[in-house]
Amino acid sequence: MKIPLFRPAASAEPMATRLAQALAAVLRSGTYILGPQVQALEARLSALLHGRETVAVGSGSEALLLAFKSLGIGSAGGGDALDEVLMPTYTFVACAEAVLGAGARPVFVDSAPDDFLPTLAHFRNARAPRTRAILAVGLFGDPNGLPELAAYCRDEKLLLVEDVAQCLGARASDGIAAGNAGTWGDAAAMSFYPTKTLGAAGDAGALAFRDPLHASKARLLRNHGYHDGQHHCLGHNSRMDELQACLLNAALDDFPDHIARRRAIAARYLSAWADLPIRLPPDSPGHAWNYFVVRLPGPRERETFAARLAASGIATRIYYEQPLHRHEALQPWHGNGALPHSETLAGCSLALPLYPMLDDEEIEYIIGAVRRAAATGA
Ligand SMILES: *Cc1c(COP(=O)(O)O)cnc(C)c1O
């Protein structure tokens, strides 16, 4: 059996045929950018995010950049060049690019010893007089810690930006309040890159804001600062096209089912592998399970394990090969200080296939192959 790391729902019949018809209708309409499909998508995303105003943009990376600029963080958004943003080091590079692109400074924070995400204490310890904002990344789909971070930011008068690229569909609760990922911060950046929980067939992203004024700023920024004959500010070309919006509107019909299916597969993996000598991801409540990332004892064991799975036809991938502070391009912003837990994670993490399009037979096949690969000794 051959199992890729990811298989898009839109590629399978009869969905592909249905989508082809919808796309043909968009092509015939002659409206290709920021039209009715995009408007409908913004309304539907807004409903998913408890009524927050949403703005469709070109990609998740641009959504992050526009989030910081719209909130006035960093010199490019009318803030200060010395504004600091606390952010995890164990995440995707776009997070740091956005902070720097907005004209602010990233301050990298380590992961917790037993988790991929930093804890509140990690952010608290990194807090300094120049700290303006925290970037919370729901890595792999895990919304854990959002309520606590939101309360901390409120008390400390810091802005909270959520990167929900991997955790759209997740739900967080502190026992009193509950809310979807993307509704805890001042702004949330979404990505619809094909492998995300809500995927397009190309690049696309969106923003959601607590304050509609920030949403208006993002609406200007995505289209060259233009409104009603005036360029009110200098902006970007970060417009979503109608074809992607059309696909995303269709994907939203299946979104609740797909998140439920991801959770069911994760639950199956967690119970089937509980006795194996690999570390399973934390079973956080409300997890969206965009990726299922296990930890091996070390790089050598990971290599052997991945090779055994590859021999069984199962694709795996390392997220992430290095924490951000270890990349040459970002070292000037960090120096040589160790963030040891993130460095350990980079040497032992491995993502296994988990997506709604896996059928039961494939899931059982993966379960058996992982059991054999982990049990044969490293
Ligand atoms: C995918 C991703 C992004 C960037 O989204 P794009 O749509 O690929 O630009 C940002 N942050 C995280 C955590 C991501 O996983």
Side-chain angles (χ1 to χ4, degrees):
M1 205 178 276
K2 272 246 170 297
I3 301 185
L5 189 64
F6 162 71
R7 188 188 296 136
S11 67
E13 296 298 341
M15 188 64 169
T17 310
R18 232 173 60 221
L19 288 174
Q21 284 165 1
L23 294 178
V26 171
L27 290 172
R28 278 191 212 101
S29 79
T31 302
Y32 296 155
I33 290 173
L34 294 183
Q37 291 285 342
V38 170
Q39 276 175 22
L41 175 68
E42 287 178 345
R44 293 185 68 171
L45 290 172
S46 175
L48 183 69
L49 299 174
H50 309 335
R52 289 200 168 200
E53 188 166 336
T54 69
V55 181
V57 297
S59 71
S61 304
E62 287 170 350
L64 281 167
L65 173 62
L66 267 51
F68 290 116
K69 291 179 82 167
S70 302
L71 294 176
I73 298 164
S75 55
D80 195 295
L82 298 177
D83 282 347
E84 290 179 357
V85 178
L86 311 184
M87 56 171 291
T89 186
Y90 196 65
T91 184
F92 186 54
V93 69
C95 299
E97 288 174 325
V99 172
L100 286 162
R105 295 161 162 257
V107 175
F108 297 113
V109 166
D110 203 4
S111 304
D114 55 352
D115 195 3
F116 300 106
L117 310 178
T119 63
L120 174 59
H122 287 84
F123 288 113
R124 204 200 300 265
N125 292 340
R127 170 91 206 265
R130 291 285 185 181
T131 305
R132 280 287 314 279
I134 290 179
L135 175 61
V137 183
L139 204 67
F140 306 144
D142 190 351
N144 192 19
L146 277 175
E148 207 180 32
L149 266 182
Y152 175 71
C153 287
R154 199 165 49 238
D155 292 347
E156 298 285 315
K157 306 218 168 353
L158 298 176
L159 292 161
L160 178 61
V161 177
E162 288 179 72
D163 179 341
V164 297
Q166 299 181 12
C167 71
L168 193 66
R171 190 166 173 82
S173 166
D174 58 3
I176 304 159
N180 291 341
T183 63
W184 293 92
D186 298 282
M190 294 164 255
S191 165
F192 308 122
Y193 186 80
T195 60
K196 308 294 163 102
T197 54
L198 183 67
D203 279 311
L207 287 148
F209 292 94
R210 185 195 302 283
D211 183 342
L213 281 177
H214 293 139
S216 307
K217 183 72 197 265
R219 233 174 259 291
L220 285 178
L221 286 170
R222 78 171 168 187
N223 191 18
H224 304 292
Y226 183 83
H227 180 68
D228 263 357
Q230 276 286 327
H231 292 278
H232 299 273
C233 59
L234 296 181
H236 301 259
N237 170 1
S238 186
R239 301 175 300 232
M240 190 188 286
D241 66 66
E242 288 284 285
L243 291 168
Q244 296 306 335
C246 175
L247 291 166
L248 288 165
N249 280 319
L252 272 169
D253 291 340
D254 297 326
F255 189 58
D257 288 348
H258 281 178
I259 293 290
R261 176 80 179 150
R262 286 179 181 277
R263 288 185 177 140
I265 298 171
R268 183 82 188 88
Y269 286 172
L270 287 170
S271 75
W273 297 332
D275 61 329
L276 296 181
I278 56 177
R279 295 199 53 193
L280 301 177
D283 186 13
S284 306
H287 207 303
W289 295 107
N290 192 4
Y291 300 98
F292 193 92
V293 180
V294 299
R295 281 167 277 171
L296 282 298
R300 223 168 31 84
E301 291 87 351
R302 174 172 66 187
E303 205 179 314
T304 312
F305 180 72
R308 286 184 185 141
L309 290 179
S312 301
I314 297 173
T316 59
R317 190 165 162 186
I318 297 173
Y319 290 104
Y320 291 92
E321 307 259 7
Q322 287 288 341
L324 295 183
H325 70 280
R326 295 288 294 267
H327 285 280
E328 191 186 325
L330 290 168
Q331 218 169 14
W333 301 98
H334 179 76
N336 292 318
L339 296 171
H341 303 306
S342 68
E343 290 159 27
T344 304
L345 285 172
C348 72
S349 301
L350 192 70
L352 306 179
L354 190 166
Y355 39 89
M357 298 309 288
L358 284 173
D359 64 34
D360 290 343
E361 191 190 346
E362 290 172 317
I363 292 166
E364 293 312 313
Y365 180 77
I366 293 168
I367 285 174
V370 165
R371 287 198 66 84
R372 284 191 304 279
T376 12

